[in-house]
Amino acid sequence: MLDLSEQYHSMRGEVLETIDNVLSSSQYILGDHAKKLEDDLAHYSHTAYGIGVGNGSDALHIALQAAGIKEGDEVITVPFTFFATAGSIARAGAAPVFVDIDPATFNMDAAKIEQAVTDKTKAIMPVHLYGQMADMKEIMDIAQKYNLIVIEDAAQAIGAEYYGKKPGELGTAAAYSFFPTKNLGAYGDGGMIVTSDRALAEKSRILRVHGSKPKYFHHILGYNSRLDELQAAILNVKFKKLNEFNSMRRAHASYYTEHLNELSPHYVKTPIEKEGNYHVYHQYTLRVEHRDELQSYLKEKGIDSMVYYPIPLHVQPVFKSLGYQEGDFPEAEKAAKEVLSLPIYPELAEEDLTYIVKTMKEFYHSKS
Ligand SMILES: *Cc1c(COP(=O)(O)O)cnc(C)c1O
């Protein structure tokens, strides 16, 4: 599904050099490399501040808390996403309130948000799933109308654009993840909040160091969640290539789409790029007929594929107390049964793409 070693070998010299530089500096947590990455990613996101934290989940959680979200509040989000989206809301003490997804993009259906707003609603957390940003204009209009905070889950969308705007630029803040498989991946965990809200940035910086400010004075309860210096240094090397890697992903995606569109849309529906969007294809995700059978067939032929995500969050046992049940979000539930993601990492070779397309076609020709 993903070969990370090839990328390492393509930049091995520079990575080893920067690792040696950090190890020799004896500054291992929040040093100059972390500061540089914070500045660069804030700038890249057209925002004023970057706050490096331990992982993407903490970036979401800390951003929510820094924005004032607390127990008793409600935060509107989607059930079709990685667990950490709703997990971070619950960890901040608030209740996740789900709205269904738009079947065309798998992102939050903005037309469904308003009916979920109550007098407890404090924030919206859209997810830019698979690398395509959610409908931020519609979301921001509703947020403005009801005076809501917007924290964007941009873990899968670093480099994506929505009418020229980056994650964190329209919303109150956005959270990035540097989990190794993400478009900008570390060799371990890491995450970052980007925002132009000065107070949110300041409070996030305090929360990541046990709520300490000044040092050893604690007015609020925080965490130990910092971006470590080694990961930041490695990310500074990789960041220089991010745009290039994203365009390679996009090239693979157009190859897949062009060739898989030769199959009947009854069997395979290729991803849709919505107008105004620069999709960075963290995943290349299809809707397919006979999904599980196709996945086994591909596996037999030596091709990995993945289901992101097989179980929507509203039916996860841990969220039972929220009171949702099967049937509440039909589009999320349908997507969970139909989606399949194909390999899309930048270094994927042309012959791999050709082989994957050929094998997909073989499978569906045997069906018709
Ligand atoms: C990866 C991911 C996260 C969490 O990031 P971690 O760095 O793994 O904590 C959150 N939301 C989404 C949508 C993700 O894909």
Side-chain angles (χ1 to χ4, degrees):
M1 186 70 190
L2 181 62
D3 180 356
L4 292 168
S5 66
E6 205 168 317
Q7 188 167 101
Y8 171 58
H9 287 288
S10 76
M11 41 178 81
R12 183 166 179 266
E14 223 185 322
V15 167
L16 290 180
E17 194 180 320
T18 202
I19 289 177
D20 185 54
N21 178 298
V22 172
L23 297 188
S24 310
S25 76
S26 76
Q27 201 171 18
Y28 303 136
I29 304 273
L30 293 179
D32 296 340
H33 294 277
K35 179 80 178 74
K36 176 169 166 44
L37 187 69
E38 291 181 337
D39 292 346
D40 286 354
L41 286 194
H43 184 251
Y44 182 73
S45 310
H46 313 148
T47 59
Y49 310 100
I51 303 96
V53 295
N55 52 69
S57 308
D58 282 1
L60 289 169
H61 173 205
I62 289 175
L64 283 168
Q65 204 177 335
I69 303 304
K70 54 180 189 324
E71 196 163 348
D73 295 342
E74 291 178 358
V75 178
I76 294 174
T77 191
V78 283
F80 189 64
T81 175
F82 180 59
F83 178 77
T85 309
S88 69
I89 295 168
R91 280 203 294 148
V97 172
F98 297 114
V99 298
D100 212 347
I101 56 165
D102 174 350
T105 59
F106 304 105
N107 278 330
M108 181 178 275
D109 184 347
K112 303 249 164 74
I113 299 174
E114 224 165 340
Q115 65 209 52
V117 174
T118 72
D119 52 10
K120 291 181 178 164
T121 309
K122 292 289 159 53
I124 306 174
M125 184 177 280
V127 180
H128 305 321
L129 202 71
Y130 305 144
Q132 172 158 250
M133 287 175 70
D135 294 338
M136 288 302 289
K137 183 187 181 300
E138 288 81 356
I139 292 169
M140 294 313 297
D141 284 348
I142 295 165
Q144 243 143 32
K145 180 168 169 191
Y146 295 95
N147 196 23
L148 306 175
I149 289 150
V150 175
I151 308 291
E152 300 167 57
D153 183 340
Q156 303 189 359
I158 192 162
E161 287 182 13
Y162 171 87
Y163 292 97
K165 307 287 185 190
K166 289 265 171 63
E169 192 172 357
L170 294 172
T172 319
Y176 292 132
S177 162
F178 308 127
F179 185 77
T181 59
K182 300 288 157 88
N183 288 30
L184 180 61
Y187 297 132
D189 278 312
M192 192 172 294
I193 299 159
V194 290
T195 181
S196 294
D197 182 322
R198 194 194 170 100
L200 191 152
E202 173 71 6
K203 194 159 178 201
S204 300
R205 286 186 202 286
I206 297 172
L207 284 168
R208 72 177 168 177
V209 289
H210 299 287
S212 161
K213 187 167 189 198
K215 205 164 186 188
Y216 303 120
F217 285 83
H218 301 264
H219 296 282
I220 51 175
L221 196 60
Y223 313 95
N224 175 356
S225 184
R226 280 87 55 123
L227 179 59
D228 83 60
E229 193 67 359
L230 264 181
Q231 298 305 337
I234 292 160
L235 289 164
N236 283 326
V237 172
K238 288 188 149 194
F239 174 59
K240 291 187 271 182
K241 296 257 189 167
L242 176 62
N243 286 343
E244 187 188 327
F245 287 151
N246 280 343
S247 50
M248 289 160 89
R249 288 173 181 271
R250 286 177 53 78
H252 298 336
S254 24
Y255 181 93
Y256 275 139
T257 296
E258 187 191 331
H259 293 274
L260 294 176
N261 276 345
E262 289 163 16
L263 286 164
S264 155
H266 169 72
Y267 287 137
V268 173
K269 289 185 191 71
T270 53
I272 286 164
E273 286 183 27
K274 227 176 154 172
E275 202 191 325
N277 269 286
Y278 186 78
H279 191 323
V280 292
Y281 290 96
H282 172 60
Q283 299 298 345
Y284 183 83
T285 305
L286 304 162
R287 267 184 205 268
V288 295
E289 180 83 3
H290 313 295
R291 196 255 320 264
D292 298 346
E293 207 186 318
L294 170 66
Q295 194 177 23
S296 323
Y297 184 79
L298 293 175
K299 182 94 220 164
E300 265 172 47
K301 302 285 175 181
I303 300 164
D304 281 338
S305 60
M306 295 288 282
V307 174
Y308 302 113
Y309 295 89
I311 304 167
L313 302 187
H314 66 286
V315 292
Q316 290 290 349
V318 67
F319 288 138
K320 205 173 163 104
S321 63
L322 296 175
Y324 291 108
Q325 45 197 311
E326 183 109 36
D328 285 349
F329 302 105
E331 291 300 343
E333 292 166 25
K334 187 162 184 280
K337 292 191 183 84
E338 295 181 352
V339 289
L340 192 68
S341 302
L342 299 178
I344 186 93
Y345 59 96
E347 298 76 16
L348 200 62
E350 185 160 353
E351 64 246 41
D352 297 328
L353 290 165
T354 322
Y355 178 64
I356 294 167
V357 166
K358 182 179 132 258
T359 312
M360 293 268 305
K361 285 184 174 169
E362 257 166 38
F363 176 79
Y364 284 110
H365 288 157
S366 79
K367 291 282 161 202
S368 54

